[in-house]
Amino acid sequence: MDPQTFMDVATVVTKLKMYPYFDVAHMLLCCMAVRDDIVPQAQAAGAQVVSFQRKHPLSSWLSSMLVCFAGSIVANLLLGEPVITPFKDQRALVTATMVWYIVNYCPFDLVYKIARFLPFKLMLCMLKEVQRAHKVYHGVIHTAKLYPNAYFVIVLIGTVKGNGSGIIKNFERLVRGIWTPGSSEVLQPTFVTKACVVASIIFLCERLNLIAVPHALIYFGVVIFFVYFKLSSILLGIVDPFVPLENLFCAIFMGGMWDAMRRAVKPEPVKEEEKDGHLRNDVIKSKDEKKKD
């Protein structure tokens, strides 16, 4: 592609309006994620899966709204701003409610089935990843204006804006009567969270003039990064490309290499139970040999 054409495309991407297409794609995937999460959680709790949305429509709606506006809710909470602010946008709230309704109550479950059809799902995911880059960037810019020298806060809010739904997952499940503290994003960060951290650092470095590249190219590169790995996870099953780097880092700086060397030099002591088992086996073998003699 011609460099000037590539630059023009990147400039157009930076100026895209998120409403309605990108926002609706995001809301569709969020409501579908809540609905898909109801199945295993309801089965674990011994509840009926099919009738959950009909028996508990308020819980289903509220959990879906929390996921749709999760980034703004958590970011406002951390920045000391009103948590209820995201719900003051009537247009966004009505749109999210309409999306929630057609996902859960459309006749013949038509919208849900179409959205899960692979070509449509890929298109929705691409739109959502473009919106994710938009959220991360604006989260970094907004926080940098409030706390210009608080780099950790800037990266944190950019990450929260990009993957608020993953961070708020435990509270959203609690609204539906399920408490799963073991699935916290802090305990088991997903690739989306790590990617948002990387994107926030890139945008922060751009703001600090540490990257001498036009803004349009940086923004477009982050969009391509998000879209590429999302499509790779769906089509190729690539879950987390950061895992090899994390394993190497932990082996060098988190004591993994020293643990391996200690195990190689000093074997682990045999447990008492294993000793008793070996003794019993030896006694049985000796008795069998005596019988043969």
Side-chain angles (χ1 to χ4, degrees):
M1 183 183 292
D2 181 63
Q4 185 59 40
T5 305
F6 187 83
M7 187 67 183
D8 293 339
V9 173
T11 304
V12 170
V13 172
T14 59
K15 297 180 180 179
L16 289 172
K17 301 296 182 182
M18 294 296 104
Y19 188 86
Y21 303 110
F22 298 92
D23 286 345
V24 170
H26 164 72
M27 293 169 183
L28 265 172
L29 291 175
C30 287
C31 293
M32 290 172 60
V34 172
R35 173 172 170 168
D36 291 339
D37 191 55
I38 287 174
V39 176
Q41 297 301 325
Q43 288 177 346
Q48 293 183 4
V49 178
V50 178
S51 60
F52 182 87
Q53 292 91 336
R54 293 171 175 80
K55 287 186 175 181
H56 310 284
L58 178 60
S59 174
S60 175
W61 175 82
L62 183 57
S63 60
S64 298
M65 295 304 105
L66 287 175
V67 174
C68 290
F69 301 100
S72 299
I73 293 173
V74 180
N76 288 357
L77 178 65
L78 295 176
L79 294 175
E81 300 176 358
V83 180
I84 204 71
T85 300
F87 295 101
K88 74 177 184 179
D89 188 350
Q90 297 295 330
R91 183 180 68 176
L93 185 61
V94 171
T95 303
T97 302
M98 292 174 61
V99 170
W100 163 79
Y101 183 83
I102 62 176
V103 166
N104 292 282
Y105 303 104
C106 179
F108 306 106
D109 218 7
L110 190 62
V111 173
Y112 179 77
K113 292 177 180 178
I114 292 176
R116 284 183 62 86
F117 186 52
L118 185 58
F120 288 98
K121 185 177 181 179
L122 292 176
M123 182 181 65
L124 292 174
C125 290
M126 291 174 63
L127 295 176
K128 180 180 174 63
E129 296 308 312
V130 173
Q131 192 210 41
R132 192 190 306 278
H134 175 85
K135 288 183 175 181
V136 172
Y137 173 71
H138 284 276
V140 169
I141 295 301
H142 175 70
T143 312
K145 293 178 181 178
L146 298 176
Y147 306 100
N149 298 320
Y151 302 143
F152 173 76
V153 177
I154 294 172
V155 173
L156 176 63
I157 299 301
T159 304
V160 166
K161 282 280 191 176
N163 191 32
S165 58
I167 296 172
I168 207 174
K169 182 181 293 183
N170 283 343
F171 182 73
E172 172 266 322
R173 285 177 173 175
L174 186 60
V175 172
R176 293 187 275 111
I178 304 296
W179 175 238
T180 55
S183 62
S184 171
E185 195 71 17
V186 178
L187 292 174
Q188 300 174 345
T190 59
F191 167 72
V192 177
T193 300
K194 301 171 189 175
C196 290
V197 172
V198 173
S200 300
I201 294 174
I202 292 174
F203 287 134
L204 176 60
C205 292
E206 179 203 1
R207 185 172 179 81
L208 298 176
N209 297 321
L210 299 177
I211 302 178
V213 178
H215 167 68
L217 293 181
I218 295 176
Y219 186 92
F220 190 48
V222 172
V223 170
I224 293 175
F225 171 73
F226 279 134
V227 172
Y228 172 77
F229 281 105
K230 185 62 177 181
L231 297 183
S232 298
S233 65
I234 296 175
L235 298 176
L236 305 177
I238 299 176
V239 180
D240 192 348
F242 288 119
V243 169
L245 298 177
E246 292 175 359
N247 293 337
L248 179 62
F249 179 84
C250 291
I252 297 175
F253 299 103
M254 297 297 178
M257 180 173 58
W258 305 112
D259 292 340
M261 292 176 63
R262 185 171 63 252
R263 287 194 298 268
V265 174
K266 184 180 180 181
E268 294 183 359
V270 180
K271 297 180 180 179
E272 293 297 331
E273 297 177 356
E274 295 179 357
K275 289 182 178 180
D276 295 341
H278 290 310
L279 290 174
R280 285 195 297 269
N281 292 333
D282 293 339
V283 170
I284 293 172
K285 288 181 180 179
S286 61
K287 289 182 178 180
D288 293 339
E289 290 176 357
K290 289 180 178 180
K291 289 180 180 179
K292 288 180 181 180
D293 294 339

